[in-house]
Amino acid sequence: MTTAASVLAAESNNPLIPHPFELVVGIFSFLVVLIVLGKILTPRIQKTLEERTEAIEGGLLRAEQAQQEAAQVLEQYKAQQKAAAVEASNERRKAEEQGAQIIAQAKEQAQVEARRIVENAKAQIEAERQQALQSLRAEIGAMSVELAGRVVGESLEDSARQSRVVDRFLEELEERARTQEQITS
């Protein structure tokens, strides 16, 4: 029995088996912690998790909306860029057309000015030719009168006589020139 008493005594002081009072207090404490966690902390944790979930989902929705807005802005920008390119092309074409018109007008003005200069030069040449012919006629007339006076032996100082002789002489020269031109033609 001693051995059984020593086993019983050893069993009552066994550190692996809890004392019944400690077991009751432990179970009661566990139940209190379980109730506190279940009734107070679990709803708060659930509420916090739901708020976080909503915040994350809301952030995702806002990010999606921001991405859609960015895509719309990008499309608008591209449309504006295309419109600006078309407008720039139209402006460049208009500028080229205006440049061509200006060049055409300048050419036309230059041609008109050139024709005017040529006509003025022709008129001036004709006037100088007429003046030279008159001067030449006067000189030829004076020479022919002097020569005729020497040949005839009398003075041809009468101006009416001089004028007739000179006119007759020049008419004969012009007639010869016309005859030679007709022969060569």
Side-chain angles (χ1 to χ4, degrees), residues 20-40:
F21 177 74
E22 288 178 357
L23 192 59
V24 170
V25 169
I27 289 174
F28 180 73
S29 297
F30 178 75
L31 288 176
V32 168
V33 168
L34 187 64
I35 290 172
V36 167
L37 281 176
K39 295 286 183 183
I40 298 172

Side-chain angles (χ1 to χ4, degrees), residues 82-98:
K82 286 180 183 179
V86 168
E87 185 177 341
S89 174
N90 289 340
E91 290 297 322
R92 184 174 38 252
R93 183 183 48 78
K94 286 178 185 177
E96 288 173 355
E97 289 174 358
Q98 288 176 349

Side-chain angles (χ1 to χ4, degrees), residues 1 5 10 18-19 24 35 49 57 60-61 80 84 90 100 117 130 159:
M1 277 250 216
H19 193 279
V24 170
I35 290 172
L49 287 176
E57 288 175 357
L60 289 174
L61 287 174
Q80 288 175 349
N90 289 340
I117 290 171
Q130 290 296 330
S159 64

Side-chain angles (χ1 to χ4, degrees), residues 34-181:
L34 187 64
I35 290 172
V36 167
L37 281 176
K39 295 286 183 183
I40 298 172
L41 292 178
T42 303
R44 288 184 184 175
I45 291 172
Q46 286 295 331
K47 183 180 177 185
T48 304
L49 287 176
E50 288 174 5
E51 288 174 356
R52 285 187 181 179
T53 303
E54 288 175 9
I56 290 171
E57 288 175 357
L60 289 174
L61 287 174
R62 284 191 303 274
E64 234 177 79
Q65 289 173 349
Q67 192 173 18
Q68 289 174 354
E69 289 175 8
Q72 289 175 350
V73 168
L74 179 63
E75 288 176 20
Q76 290 174 351
Y77 173 74
K78 286 181 179 179
Q80 288 175 349
Q81 191 177 19
K82 286 180 183 179
V86 168
E87 185 177 341
S89 174
N90 289 340
E91 290 297 322
R92 184 174 38 252
R93 183 183 48 78
K94 286 178 185 177
E96 288 173 355
E97 289 174 358
Q98 288 176 349
Q101 288 176 351
I102 290 171
I103 289 171
Q105 288 174 351
K107 283 181 180 180
E108 185 177 322
Q109 288 176 351
Q111 288 174 349
V112 167
E113 185 67 19
R115 276 188 241 121
R116 186 187 60 79
I117 290 171
V118 167
E119 288 172 1
N120 286 344
K122 284 181 180 179
Q124 186 177 3
I125 289 171
E126 183 61 30
E128 288 177 2
R129 187 177 78 75
Q130 290 296 330
Q131 187 179 9
L133 278 174
Q134 288 176 354
S135 172
L136 189 59
R137 277 185 177 209
E139 285 181 32
I140 290 175
M143 283 187 205
S144 60
V145 167
E146 185 181 327
L147 181 62
R150 286 186 188 169
V151 169
V152 172
E154 62 181 79
S155 175
L156 295 175
E157 301 219 357
D158 181 17
S159 64
R161 193 183 287 171
Q162 281 181 1
S163 175
R164 283 190 305 243
V165 170
V166 169
D167 287 340
R168 201 173 358 152
F169 179 70
L170 290 175
E171 286 175 10
E172 288 175 9
L173 283 178
E174 287 176 2
E175 186 64 34
R176 285 183 193 165
R178 278 187 228 135
T179 307
Q180 284 181 354
E181 280 182 19

